[in-house]
Amino acid sequence: MSISFERDGDIVILAANNPPVNALGAEVRRGLSEGIKRAVAEGAKAVLIYGEGRTWFAGADIREFGKPPVEPGLPGVCDEIEACPIPVVAALHGTVLGGGLEVAVSCHYRLALPSTKLGVPEVNLGLLPGAGGTQRLPRLAGYETAVAMVTSGRPVSAAKALEAGIVDRVEDGKPRALGLAYATELVAEGAKPRPVGARPAPQAPDFAAMRAEVVKKARGQLAPVTAFDAVAASASLPFAEGLKEERRLFMSLMDTDQRKGMIHAFFAERQVSKLPELKGVAPRALNSIGVIGGGTMGAGIATAALLAGLRVSLIEMTEEAAEAARGRVAGNLAGALKRGKISQQKHDAMLGTALTTAADYAALSDADVIIEAVFEDMAVKKQVFAQIEAHAKPSAILASNTSYLDINEIAANTTRPADVIGLHFFSPAHVMRLLEVVVADATAPDVVATGFELGKMLGKTTVRSGVCDGFIGNRILSTYRTAADHMILDGASPYEIDRVLENFGFAMGPFAVADLAGLDIGWANRKRLAPNRHPRERVSEHADKLCEAGHFGQKTGRGYYIYEGRSKSINPDVMPLIEAERAALGITPKTFSDDDILRRYMAAMVNEAAKVVGEGIARRPLDVDMVLLMGYGFPRYHGGPLKWADIQGLGNLLADIEGFAKEDDHFWQPAPLLQELVASNRSFDDLNT
Ligand code: 3HC
Ligand code: NAI
């Protein structure tokens, strides 16, 4: 039984038992509805609802969305609880989220354990609270709190919920015992039901200003704005009408592509680290790591590991460089301390006993995983791996954080290729949530499992990649950047391209991103690839010219844009460089509409992603989606490039690619997998299961 019915004297106890998170699936809803009816019919004096296991209801059952509805619906169940003629008490613990919080605020009295988190995260799924939350929350907590919770999706602590009036008391103990004591007390006092829906809505604030703020923050996402509108409706409509308006707005979001994209992202995030090949494979022991190179990446990786409670040995070329690397880690940890992520005591322990910095590789002797993050140069990496091998213990894993280089070649140069793996972090490594685990031909399964275990310890979304130039993410990035560079040669400007992609939902367009990452990185990469470049590859040189003049983007204050303090403006030197290049190549520039730009950019991304999946570099389309979402700023509400492609229709995308191929059939070679899917009328999603 998902909801058990039990009696303790005058009190009926409804306990939820639907692991793992007590999601409000059809059976749970039925159990609640029947339980309330039966409690009244049997003459009970109060009802207690609590959750068994790790949490109260963590929300509606997301797996039901998009399928035909099954009665009773959650809004009806919430109304039934609220209308119950005897007091209903909620004893809350764990994560009281979405429909879970809506059930809670339909009860008449609420207590919560101090560790409880309460929130309405529906906007993160492209939805709004659809079971009365937008009407009941403002009546309990006022508009400021309700709008903040509903439009951001961020949960609040039990203490904050108490202060806001969302819960009546916060007490430590077991939900069942505390709830029973509370219900007994209420019965003794002769307490009556207190339906939140019967309360008047608070005084309406300046909704216009609040809405403008929500629109700005939403950056193209529909749900926060629609959720705001639902909350605001509570000020002007009677409660029952407000519920109807909420339902109408909820259903309008249910139909959107954004809802599909975000729910895909929710499940993909949970599926991505589950690899059938690792079932039953135990990871190796993991207590300490070694990092070689304490530059941008090495210092970030060391910080992430320290924050996760690991011991770290950080090796640099000289004592002075080791000291400078310690300074970078200290700077990162000072940031974590300032933001309240760690206590002063933990901070001091991390810099004191947990971190060793040295110029001698002997400091690596105890490390379980050793990650090199030295210069991106194969000869240097090989030399470093030889030194690591001389000092690493036999069980240690030898990893490279290379962005593009061949892990098979690095592994083949060692005497223990089974221990070699790629662990590709993203900058800043202690902040960015993506980790690509690059599995080389000879990598042992327990080494792969340890890579995933490390990702989990560091709180990363960990994705398996095979070996190729740039792995999943940087390989796809190179291709869509090339498509952008081709458009520039043919007539578009970097600024138009950035604007179109920002309107699509990226926080930054590709040229602003290039300035942030450092134009020298792409420059070095182009030089590396030049000797093997296909004669038909179109290469644009304006970026090289910027680099030759010493402009590397943000770090030098000048790139595609000029950076002065916090302001960013267009660099007037860029377009003349591009125009000169077009003239030298005899290209007559043409006009690209916003739609032209988006279609070419996305077609290049999807086509390369389909090749990455088709070649087995990524095992599933969802792996690509997670890489782009977590590492490259792809807007979550589009679900990732391959989910977006499914929603557009793969036939349309293939037709675009075939059309572009008429101009350049070297660059625009359709991915065989995309052709196969179109021919068999299947989607990328069909390959995810
Ligand atoms: N519906 C269905 N399945 C759910 C679920 C839900 N609401 N919430 C979690 N699950 C599943 C996960 O997919 C996962 O399944 P798996 O083991 O097969 O991969 C399992 O439960 C455990 O979830 P997590 O791995 O995420 O466990 P954590 O302990 O890390 O996190 C959590 C727990 C904080 C509850 C997190 O799962 C979460 O944020 N869940 C979603 C909460 C949410 O968005 N609720 C609102 C739903 S929409 C709604 O209520 C609409 C209403 O207004 C009408
Ligand atoms: P960086 O130049 O900031 O740091 C490299 C550090 O390695 C320097 O401090 C240098 O002194 C040290 N070093 C060089 N040779 C060494 C040796 N033999 N022994 C010990 N230390 C040595 O470079 P960054 O940006 O940190 O990149 C490092 C690696 O990470 C490269 O392979 C790069 O491709 C990769 N990477 C970089 C990302 C980025 O955004 N910067 C993102 C992901 C990967």
Side-chain angles (χ1 to χ4, degrees):
M1 280 297 277
S2 296
I3 297 284
S4 64
F5 184 101
E6 201 191 318
R7 218 170 150 140
D8 188 305
D10 286 336
I11 296 159
V12 159
I13 304 165
L14 302 180
N17 200 343
N18 187 28
V21 299
N22 280 323
L24 288 150
E27 221 191 297
V28 176
R29 298 195 300 271
R30 202 174 315 117
L32 283 173
S33 169
E34 285 168 3
I36 291 284
K37 285 193 193 89
R38 188 172 152 198
V40 176
E42 291 188 5
K45 294 208 171 130
V47 180
L48 164 67
I49 307 178
Y50 80 97
E52 286 286 357
R54 64 200 229 205
T55 184
W56 170 267
F57 312 105
D61 189 332
I62 302 169
R63 290 163 305 188
E64 289 182 354
F65 294 166
K67 296 187 184 149
V70 179
E71 290 298 322
L74 190 57
V77 173
C78 288
D79 294 346
E80 229 177 320
I81 293 171
E82 185 168 70
C84 182
I86 51 173
V88 184
V89 176
L92 310 171
H93 80 294
T95 43
V96 178
L97 298 176
L101 183 55
E102 293 178 291
V103 170
V105 296
S106 303
C107 296
H108 305 130
Y109 298 87
R110 285 164 291 281
L111 75 78
L113 266 58
S115 55
T116 314
K117 294 264 177 280
L118 304 94
V120 264
E122 282 87 342
V123 288
N124 299 328
L125 302 170
L127 289 168
L128 55 80
T134 65
Q135 307 302 299
R136 289 190 178 98
L137 263 182
R139 284 175 161 84
L140 271 178
Y143 282 110
E144 202 179 316
T145 302
V147 165
M149 287 177 75
V150 166
T151 61
S152 75
R154 272 194 297 276
V156 298
S157 63
K160 167 84 186 137
L162 180 67
E163 189 190 313
I166 299 169
V167 297
D168 303 296
R169 39 170 96 173
V170 174
E171 272 180 280
D172 210 357
K174 300 257 183 262
R176 181 190 167 98
L178 290 173
L180 204 49
Y182 192 12
T184 307
E185 198 182 307
L186 288 166
V187 169
E189 283 170 6
K192 299 273 173 281
R194 282 189 318 184
V196 174
R199 297 190 187 189
Q203 183 68 32
D206 178 0
F207 278 138
M210 270 178 147
R211 189 176 198 278
E213 193 58 28
V214 174
V215 169
K216 195 166 136 214
K217 278 202 193 135
R219 299 179 35 79
Q221 202 187 326
L222 297 170
V225 183
T226 315
F228 174 88
D229 290 342
V231 174
S234 68
S236 54
L237 297 175
F239 182 67
E241 293 306 309
L243 287 180
K244 279 189 202 151
E245 178 61 0
E246 176 195 84
R247 185 96 302 241
R248 186 185 71 76
L249 292 170
F250 179 82
M251 293 316 289
S252 75
L253 287 176
M254 196 56 114
D255 275 343
T256 59
D257 291 342
Q258 292 195 1
R259 193 275 296 165
K260 289 179 198 149
M262 291 191 92
I263 286 185
H264 169 76
F266 176 86
F267 284 115
E269 206 171 340
R270 282 154 181 79
Q271 222 178 318
V272 72
S273 306
K274 290 180 187 149
L275 295 190
E277 73 199 54
L278 294 186
K279 235 182 173 171
V281 180
R284 295 185 187 174
L286 187 42
N287 298 305
S288 65
I289 70 161
V291 180
I292 324 292
T296 311
M297 292 308 291
I301 295 166
T303 307
L306 289 168
L307 289 170
L310 292 163
R311 278 177 285 121
V312 177
S313 298
L314 179 55
I315 311 296
E316 259 290 349
M317 290 201 278
T318 61
E319 290 294 342
E320 295 76 57
E323 219 24 62
R326 173 175 281 274
R328 278 188 277 277
V329 176
N332 293 340
L333 290 177
L337 177 66
K338 200 170 146 205
R339 284 193 300 278
K341 284 191 149 188
I342 44 169
S343 65
Q344 183 73 49
Q345 194 191 3
K346 279 208 166 142
H347 166 272
D348 296 350
M350 283 172 192
L351 275 179
T353 46
L355 175 67
T356 308
T357 45
D360 184 352
Y361 280 60
L364 294 175
S365 59
D366 182 41
D368 297 312
V369 176
I370 301 170
I371 307 169
E372 73 72 21
V374 302
F375 304 132
E376 184 77 344
D377 179 311
M378 185 55 99
V380 177
K381 303 254 188 220
K382 283 182 178 167
Q383 202 191 356
V384 165
F385 265 80
Q387 281 174 276
I388 296 173
E389 255 195 289
H391 293 91
K393 60 185 178 187
S395 61
I397 289 169
L398 318 185
S400 172
N401 179 50
T402 175
S403 307
Y404 288 92
L405 302 178
D406 185 346
I407 306 284
N408 280 322
E409 191 179 334
I410 293 174
N413 207 53
T414 70
T415 57
R416 41 195 283 194
D419 293 332
V420 176
I421 195 164
L423 292 176
H424 184 216
F425 289 83
F426 289 73
S427 180
H430 58 298
V431 176
M432 291 290 286
R433 282 191 48 212
L434 180 64
L435 172 63
E436 282 180 326
V437 169
V438 185
V439 181
D441 293 347
T443 311
D446 65 341
V447 172
V448 181
T450 314
F452 274 82
E453 184 62 21
L454 177 64
K456 195 164 140 194
M457 289 174 90
L458 305 189
K460 307 287 182 202
T461 298
T462 312
V463 184
R464 182 198 188 282
S465 172
V467 176
C468 66
D469 202 276
F471 319 120
I472 297 177
N474 280 345
R475 171 169 161 182
I476 297 171
L477 163 75
S478 295
T479 304
Y480 63 77
R481 264 306 308 265
T482 302
D485 288 341
H486 288 177
M487 285 191 269
I488 287 180
L489 278 178
D490 292 334
S493 85
Y495 313 106
E496 285 169 329
I497 296 177
D498 274 1
R499 178 178 49 74
V500 168
L501 273 306
E502 282 163 19
N503 288 342
F504 179 74
F506 281 92
M508 283 173 146
F511 296 97
V513 169
D515 271 0
L516 178 67
L519 298 182
D520 49 324
I521 292 185
W523 190 32
N525 206 36
R526 285 191 294 280
K527 284 194 267 193
R528 177 178 69 86
L529 295 172
N532 297 320
R533 192 170 282 147
H534 193 282
R536 289 203 48 209
E537 207 173 304
R538 298 178 73 203
V539 189
S540 91
E541 288 174 354
H542 68 271
D544 296 351
K545 297 236 157 64
L546 277 173
C547 291
E548 282 159 18
H551 304 317
F552 295 162
Q554 282 199 22
K555 61 178 135 183
T556 59
R558 195 173 267 255
Y560 286 97
Y561 299 88
I562 294 176
Y563 301 88
E564 277 160 342
R566 303 188 116 234
S567 83
K568 173 181 126 189
S569 57
I570 286 172
N571 179 353
D573 298 340
V574 172
M575 284 317 292
L577 284 177
I578 293 170
E579 279 151 15
E581 193 179 358
R582 287 177 191 150
L585 293 167
I587 295 170
T588 311
K590 61 182 180 188
T591 306
F592 286 85
S593 70
D594 289 5
D595 188 49
D596 292 336
I597 290 173
L598 186 66
R599 277 167 60 186
R600 279 177 191 254
Y601 193 85
M602 291 305 297
M605 190 187 297
V606 171
N607 199 40
E608 193 64 27
K611 288 178 189 172
V612 161
V613 177
E615 291 167 21
I617 300 296
R619 285 278 166 82
R620 301 156 297 188
L622 70 85
D623 293 347
V624 172
D625 286 341
M626 288 325 292
V627 167
L628 271 290
L629 286 182
M630 295 297 180
Y632 296 81
F634 192 93
R636 191 175 173 96
Y637 60 75
H638 291 306
L642 295 181
K643 181 66 185 178
W644 177 87
D646 276 350
I647 291 171
Q648 304 311 301
L650 300 188
N652 298 335
L653 269 154
L654 183 58
D656 269 356
I657 292 164
E658 286 167 348
F660 304 148
K662 292 194 179 109
E663 294 163 22
D664 178 357
D665 64 359
H666 172 71
F667 180 73
W668 292 103
Q669 297 180 33
L673 177 64
L674 181 60
Q675 292 172 314
E676 267 170 56
L677 290 175
V678 172
S680 57
N681 201 19
R682 283 181 303 155
S683 65
F684 285 112
D685 228 2
D686 291 332
L687 307 180
N688 279 329
T689 41

